[in-house]
């Protein structure tokens, strides 16, 4: 459903040019949860912004559901890392969630119902009348997730979604993501720099190299479900995959036996 | 009771100053410095000796105060609307900003009283000239602040709006305008106090009614208590306008103050 | 490509904007859209502005206004900064005087002109007094604000080394308040210019930009003079403000948090 072919992007021109993406080819199937992991500053966000249509790449193409991405597609939602800058502080939580639904041609009542339903799914029933800044960081990120869910996107992009919350909240949000994914059968692309997280959450882990970013590994994660923070993380396959991804991220050659498939 | 005591603790200097002022001016017997009681009597005489069915307001009070306040508010609202619209346009369109910013900076630097002879020559004396002086004199703080507020909208707010497909109009009214609101209010507040100053000065030179006209009238007839009393009324007016504005700001920007405190 | 580059240049765009305004104004006059009798041609005004630059009478008036402005501003600093420090370091005095300051502050200073006319016989004294009164507020308020902003940790550090209150004031409070005072003085300089010209316009006198405006008011091309004078007043305002900003940036490079209270 998502096809990225030979995507390149260069910021600026001349001697000060910065080559962020060096030809990325990636295909994501419908219903898949793909984690993209790579060292900091490798161009992960540039890749995400190109998929979301927020940035026009200098070369290559992104095709979503058969049509090339030129502007922000209407069946795509993003959960950004920095919830405090992506939720609007002047709107209540319910208004934040229902604002994008205007585009879907829903009337006021429908929008409100959809917003309340999405808030319930993320465990925030009753918080609709509050303002984002009255909630904790983890709860604010739940609101962003609820906003994305209410929008019913075909593709959900998550940009370091749990990078700004504490470790325990992070685990809760990871499980929340796995749970809501089951409800909606969305395709999810999650960008992270946390190797454990990528293996724990993903069906597939794609590893990017340092800038200019290229794909250095594409590993299928076959862990027994449903995933659990304790048992999954001590499963031998998890430990093995984590080490493998770690090696790829650091730029070491992978072991031939477990090379990408 | 406690609140009354605390207020008394804060305000004790006011009666002390008033009493000292009264005693000193009575002792000095300088006609230019009438005692506060004389000023108060003159204020009462000027504004509050009308018939009961008009709430005891005199003709002078009913004629001058609404005329002044009306012009002040008309000029302020006009400057607010034009300043916000132009400022946001300049803040969101970099090319427009580059073309107009030097002109705006220059216009802002012209001392507003220079506008008086200009508009007097253009429109002669009257409300049209006064409102024009006010609008052109006070628009710049609103315009510049609105521009800055609109220019500095968080990029992630705009990205979010684009990702979720908000239309241009929605982005303007739901994202850009609220984001710029704290700055716009700061500009509007400066403009309000400037508007009072320009209202007074425009009435001092070219008017047949208004508080400023009454002030000039009192000065010309050597009614010094009247001059002092009118200045007191202007001070009260300034205080009331500023307090009302701050109360409105607290309501509209409640999210801003709270959000700033928690993050 | 070259076109885009040119549009990236800020000064060029600014010049184009100014030239564009000039052309529009000139065209409305030339085509008769607005009669040049009502609103003079832009070229006439610009020509007059250039002439004024060599007009001895006008220059004397400008020097007179600027002299009153500078003297008023100097006196303001001499009075308001120490007053701010006294009030700021004596919290009791501040709480006692606060309500009185809060009542005096909203009185529009230009409303005092009629009163001052009755109190002063000398126009120059009157002008200086009104400038000082009006310009004191931003300096005083910014000084008070700056003193509240002084890092208590810095003060305690010095105190723990055995420095007395006076040397704490001298070594910590004074330098960390200075940027706020400078901002106050910059705001006060604009106010001082406004008051100087207003007093000259309303009260008359022997010389000054405002007096010049009154004198040319009777001439048939008064409007040309008025606009040309306004242009020079704008230049003066712009130059003085830029100089203050430049000086602030130079002297207080270490001070990043730029705040101002009006």
């Amino acid at each position: 459903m998502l096809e990225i072919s030979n995507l390149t992007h260069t910021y600026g021109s001349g001697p000060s040019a910065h080559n962020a993406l060096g030809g990325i080819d990636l295909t994501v199937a419908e219903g898949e949860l793909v984690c993209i992991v790579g060292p900091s500053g490798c161009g992960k966000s540039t890749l995400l912004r190109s998929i979301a249509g927020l940035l026009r790449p200098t070369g290559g193409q992104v095709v979503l559901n058969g049509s090339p991405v030129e502007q922000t597609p209407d069946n795509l939602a993003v959960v950004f890392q920095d919830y405090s800058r992506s939720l609007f502080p002047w709107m209540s939580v319910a208004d934040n969630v229902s604002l994008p639904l205007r585009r879907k041609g829903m009337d006021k009542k429908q929008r409100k119902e959809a917003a309340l339903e999405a808030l319930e799914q993320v465990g925030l029933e009753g918080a609709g009348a509050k303002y984002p800044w009255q909630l904790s960081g983890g709860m604010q990120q739940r609101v962003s997730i609820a906003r994305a869910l209410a929008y019913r996107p075909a593709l959900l992009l998550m940009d370091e979604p749990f990078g700004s919350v504490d470790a325990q909240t992070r685990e809760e949000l990871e499980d929340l993501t796995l749970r809501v994914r089951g409800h909606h059968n969305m395709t999810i692309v999650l960008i992270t720099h946390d190797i454990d997280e990528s293996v724990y959450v993903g069906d597939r882990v794609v590893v990017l190299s340092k800038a200019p970013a290229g794909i250095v590994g594409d590993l299928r994660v076959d862990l027994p479900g449903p995933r659990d923070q304790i048992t999954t993380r001590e499963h031998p396959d998890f430990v093995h995959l984590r080490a493998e991804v770690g090696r790829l991220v650091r730029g070491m050659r992978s072991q031939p036996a477990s090379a990408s498939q | 009771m406690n609140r009354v005591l605390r207020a008394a603790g804060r305000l004790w200097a006011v009666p002390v100053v008033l009493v000292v002022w009264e005693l000193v001016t009575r002792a000095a017997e300088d006609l230019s410095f009438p005692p506060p009681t004389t000023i108060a009597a003159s204020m009462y005489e000027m504004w509050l000796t009308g018939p009961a069915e008009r709430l005891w307001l005199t003709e002078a009070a009913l004629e001058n105060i609404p005329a002044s306040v009306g012009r002040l508010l008309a000029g302020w609202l006009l400057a607010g609307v034009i300043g916000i619209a132009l400022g946001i346009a300049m803040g969101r369109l970099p090319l427009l900003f580059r073309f107009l910013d030097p002109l705006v900076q220059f216009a802002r630097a012209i001392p507003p009283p220079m506008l008086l002879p200009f508009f007097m020559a253009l429109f002669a004396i009257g409300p049209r000239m006064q409102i024009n002086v006010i609008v052109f004199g006070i628009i710049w703080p609103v315009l510049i602040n609105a521009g800055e507020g609109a220019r500095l909208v968080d990029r992630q707010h705009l990205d979010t709006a684009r990702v979720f497909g908000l239309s241009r109009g929605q982005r303007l009214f739901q994202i850009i305008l609220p984001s710029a609101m704290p700055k716009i209010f700061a500009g509007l507040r400066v403009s309000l106090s400037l508007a009072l100053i320009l209202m007074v000065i425009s009435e001092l030179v070219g008017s047949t009614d208004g508080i400023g006209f009454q002030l000039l009238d009192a000065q010309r007839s050597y009614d010094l208590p009247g001059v002092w009393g009118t200045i007191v009324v202007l001070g009260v007016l300034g205080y009331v306008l500023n307090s009302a504005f701050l109360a409105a700001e607290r309501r509209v920007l409640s999210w801003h103050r709270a959000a700033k405190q928690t993050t | 490509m070259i076109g885009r580059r040119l549009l990236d240049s800020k000064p060029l765009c600014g010049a184009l904007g100014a030239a564009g305004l000039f052309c529009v104004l000139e065209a409305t006059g030339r085509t008769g859209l607005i009669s040049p009798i009502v609103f003079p041609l832009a070229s006439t005004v610009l020509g007059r502005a250039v002439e004024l630059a060599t007009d001895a009478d006008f220059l004397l008036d400008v020097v007179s206004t600027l002299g009153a402005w500078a003297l008023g501003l100097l006196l303001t600093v001499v009075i308001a900064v120490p007053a701010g420090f006294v009030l700021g370091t004596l919290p009791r005095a501040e709480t006692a005087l606060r309500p009185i300051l809060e009542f005096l502050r909203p009185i529009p200073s230009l409303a005092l002109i009629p009163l001052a006319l009755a109190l002063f016989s000398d126009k120059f004294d009157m002008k200086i007094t009104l400038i000082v009164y009006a310009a004191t507020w931003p300096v005083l308020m910014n000084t008070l604000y700056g003193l509240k902003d002084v890092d208590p940790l810095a003060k305690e550090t010095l105190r723990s080394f055995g420095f007395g209150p006076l040397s704490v004031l001298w070594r910590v409070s004074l330098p960390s308040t200075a940027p706020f005072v400078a901002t106050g003085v910059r705001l006060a300089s604009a106010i001082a210019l406004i008051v100087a010209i207003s007093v000259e316009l309303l009260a008359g006198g022997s010389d000054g930009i405002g007096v010049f405006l009154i004198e040319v008011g009777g001439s048939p091309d008064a409007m040309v003079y008025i606009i040309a004078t306004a242009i020079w007043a704008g230049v003066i305002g712009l130059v003085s403000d830029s100089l203050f900003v430049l000086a602030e940036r130079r002297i207080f490079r270490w001070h990043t948090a730029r705040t101002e209270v009006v």
Side-chain angles (χ1 to χ4, degrees), chain C:
Chain C
M1 200 61 200
I2 293 171
R4 266 233 69 86
R5 277 275 171 75
L6 286 176
L7 288 182
D8 281 341
S9 146
K10 253 189 177 172
L12 186 77
C13 282
L16 279 177
L21 182 71
F22 178 87
C23 291
V24 168
L25 287 178
E26 183 77 14
T28 50
R30 295 248 176 228
T31 54
L33 211 61
I34 299 173
S35 160
I37 301 161
V38 180
F39 197 95
L41 286 175
S43 51
T44 319
V45 172
L46 213 61
R48 183 64 48 90
V50 173
E51 278 169 41
L52 281 182
T54 54
D55 182 327
D57 284 345
F58 177 71
L59 290 179
L60 269 178
D61 285 324
V62 170
V63 169
S64 158
T65 300
L66 287 182
W69 170 80
L71 182 60
L73 208 55
L74 190 72
L75 282 172
T76 304
V77 174
V78 170
I79 295 169
V81 176
F85 268 89
V86 169
L87 281 186
T89 42
L90 301 174
R92 285 182 154 214
E94 200 203 330
T95 37
L97 286 180
R98 246 312 150 174
I100 294 165
L101 294 182
E102 290 303 323
F103 180 75
L104 289 178
R105 197 147 75 108
I107 296 179
S109 45
L110 297 183
L112 299 177
I113 295 176
L115 180 66
L117 276 173
L119 300 184
F120 289 90
S121 51
D122 186 272
K123 292 275 161 65
F124 187 76
D125 290 350
M126 168 187 163
K127 188 154 70 174
I128 299 292
T129 310
L130 283 173
I131 290 175
V132 172
Y133 176 82
T136 291
W137 295 107
V139 180
L140 184 67
M141 290 298 158
N142 274 280
T143 308
L144 283 174
Y145 186 85
L147 276 172
K148 288 217 172 73
D149 198 62
V150 175
D151 188 356
L153 196 69
K155 279 200 273 189
E156 274 161 26
T157 311
L158 267 198
R159 221 172 280 154
S160 71
F161 283 117
F163 286 88
L166 265 181
S167 53
V168 171
L169 183 73
W170 178 250
R171 281 167 206 279
V172 178
S173 303
L174 200 67
S176 58
T177 310
F180 293 90
V181 175
T183 306
V185 174
R186 173 162 56 83
L187 296 173
S189 84
I191 292 175
L193 193 60
I194 291 176
V195 174
I197 293 176
S198 302
V199 172
E200 289 159 5
L201 263 177
L202 278 127
S206 53
D207 39 22
I209 296 175
V211 176
F212 179 81
L213 282 174
I214 298 175
E215 280 165 2
V216 299
S219 87
D221 52 354
M223 201 60 163
V224 183
Y225 274 114
I226 290 169
I227 304 174
T229 313
I231 291 177
W232 281 116
V235 171
I236 292 168
L238 205 58
V239 168
S240 71
D241 194 67
S242 321
L243 286 180
F244 274 107
V245 171
L246 209 70
E248 274 176 66
R249 287 218 186 114
R250 278 243 145 156
I251 304 171
F252 304 117
R253 246 174 298 181
W254 46 272
H255 183 79
T256 42
R258 234 160 249 291
T259 17
E260 47 191 65
V261 284
V262 186

Side-chain angles (χ1 to χ4, degrees), chain B residues 14-28 32-37 39-40 228-229 232, chain C residues 103-104 115:
Chain B
V14 178
V16 171
V17 168
L18 282 175
V19 169
V20 171
W21 183 12
E22 179 82 30
L23 293 175
V24 170
T25 44
R26 274 188 191 279
S32 302
F33 291 95
T37 43
I39 295 172
W228 283 90
V232 171
Chain C
F103 180 75
L104 289 178
L115 180 66

Side-chain angles (χ1 to χ4, degrees), chain A residues 86-102 108 111-116 119 127-132 143 146-147 150, chain B residues 160 164 166 170 174-175:
Chain A
S86 127
L87 294 174
F88 306 118
W90 52 87
M91 290 181 196
S92 70
V93 164
D95 286 343
N96 261 292
V97 175
S98 63
L99 177 71
L101 302 178
R102 290 164 181 248
K108 209 173 171 183
R111 287 205 303 265
K112 200 176 170 196
E113 273 167 17
L116 291 180
L119 283 172
K130 290 200 170 144
Y131 284 86
V143 176
R147 176 170 63 189
Chain B
T160 308
F164 287 106
L166 265 59
Q170 281 174 338
Q174 310 263 5
I175 316 295

